């Protein structure tokens, strides 16, 4: 079975609810007949409801950018998977490099979140990727192996079916520097091989691995043409409806 590409928008900490609604009003008609790829929009928590209301009936799914690993509890400022489910969110980004860098998320925490997401049937988009110093030191493969093992620890092949991994080289995020399609494909195959080691060939063959890091309308086609690349996680270029629609319609 071919892997259905997934294109996800990561709006980060941008857009009020009104701005989110305005985006959806302009974006949805541009992708109205799009069936080839799965499309997911991940707004801030405060915009999830309005984006879900706008997306109803459109085929566009809505996800969160983070969540806590507990169902509920005394965790001031956090959002639980049950709260996301109650709104109708279907996806959740986990372990984004900005969460790792600014909020001290480790592979261990991301692993806990991943297990909770799977328990609650939220489709996790789990991020891995090396920083510039690691790439320059020739440690990309080592980092990808460590992160892949860490985030997937204790998860079985049958549990892993819904998981989506996003390879996001940190040096390419928001910098305008994209990994070349070949470089990205190489990293994806490192991840896929390790998933085969951990969870078997079938899980690895069905696993969708997205590329993220300065994906734009003018480089989306070349990236998506790589067999190893099963979609994109788009930050900056997903904030504008025209530009995100062009990426989706690569
Ligand atoms: P970018 O962000 O497209 O702005 O580089 C990607 C991401 O952080 O997911």
């Amino acid at each position: 079975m071919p892997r259905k590409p997934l294109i996800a928008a990561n709006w980060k900490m941008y857009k009020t609810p009104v701005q989110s609604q305005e985006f959806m009003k302009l974006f949805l008609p541009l992708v109205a007949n799009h069936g080839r790829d799965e499309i997911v929009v991940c707004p801030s928590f405060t915009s999830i409801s309005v984006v879900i209301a706008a997306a109803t009936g459109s085929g566009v799914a809505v996800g969160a950018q983070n969540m806590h690993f507990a169902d509920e509890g005394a965790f001031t400022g956090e959002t639980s998977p049950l709260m996301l489910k109650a709104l109708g969110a279907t996806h959740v980004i986990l372990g984004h490099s900005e969460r790792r860098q600014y909020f001290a998320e480790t592979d261990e925490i991301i692993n806990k979140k991943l297990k909770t997401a799977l328990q609650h049937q939220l489709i996790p988009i789990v991020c891995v990727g090396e920083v510039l110093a690691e790439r320059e030191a020739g440690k990309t493969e080592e980092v990808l192996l460590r992160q892949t093992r860490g985030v997937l620890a204790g998860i079985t092949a049958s549990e892993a079916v819904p998981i989506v991994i996003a390879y996001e080289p940190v040096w390419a995020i928001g910098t305008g520097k994209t990994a070349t399609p070949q470089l990205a494909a190489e990293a994806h195959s490192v991840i896929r091989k390790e998933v085969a080691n951990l969870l078997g060939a079938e899980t690895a063959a069905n696993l969708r691995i997205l590329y993220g890091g300065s994906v734009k309308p003018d480089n989306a086609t070349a990236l998506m043409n790589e067999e190893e690349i099963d979609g994109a996680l788009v930050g900056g270029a997903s904030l504008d409806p025209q530009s995100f629609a062009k990426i989706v319609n690569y």
Side-chain angles (χ1 to χ4, degrees), residues 158-182:
S158 64
E159 289 165 343
V161 172
I163 296 176
V164 177
I165 291 184
Y167 168 60
E168 297 208 309
V170 180
W171 48 269
I173 295 178
T175 57
K177 286 186 205 154
T178 325
T180 61
Q182 292 76 3

Side-chain angles (χ1 to χ4, degrees), residues 60-169:
V60 172
V62 183
Q65 299 169 16
N66 179 33
M67 63 169 208
H68 197 271
F69 51 74
D71 288 354
E72 59 183 7
F75 299 108
T76 302
E78 290 292 313
T79 302
S80 96
L82 297 179
M83 295 166 185
L84 299 179
K85 290 281 289 187
L87 292 181
T90 49
H91 293 65
V92 62
I93 300 172
L94 297 176
H96 189 278
S97 63
E98 287 149 17
R99 300 294 319 167
R100 293 173 183 262
Q101 190 181 348
Y102 304 124
F103 303 96
E105 286 196 16
T106 59
D107 289 332
E108 202 184 340
I109 294 172
I110 298 158
N111 173 252
K112 282 192 186 177
K113 293 185 174 190
L114 179 54
K115 286 176 178 160
T116 312
L118 293 171
Q119 253 169 34
H120 294 295
Q121 286 92 42
L122 283 162
I123 299 170
I125 302 174
V126 193
C127 304
V128 297
E130 80 286 1
V131 302
L132 184 61
E134 291 163 338
R135 173 155 290 270
E136 286 177 346
K139 292 197 169 148
T140 299
E141 182 163 342
E142 185 187 317
V143 171
L144 294 179
L145 294 179
R146 186 184 69 231
Q147 293 180 339
T148 304
R149 286 174 195 146
V151 298
L152 293 177
I155 290 169
T156 65
S158 64
E159 289 165 343
V161 172
I163 296 176
V164 177
I165 291 184
Y167 168 60
E168 297 208 309

Side-chain angles (χ1 to χ4, degrees), residues 180-186 221-230:
T180 61
Q182 292 76 3
L183 216 75
E186 262 169 46
T221 303
L223 287 161
M224 294 299 295
N225 278 343
E226 284 292 335
E227 198 177 316
E228 266 296 339
I229 300 180
D230 307 311

Side-chain angles (χ1 to χ4, degrees), residues 10 12 96 98 168 172-175 212-216 233-237:
N10 172 14
K12 309 194 179 187
H96 189 278
E98 287 149 17
E168 297 208 309
I173 295 178
T175 57
S214 298
V215 176
K216 307 278 181 233
L233 181 54
V234 188

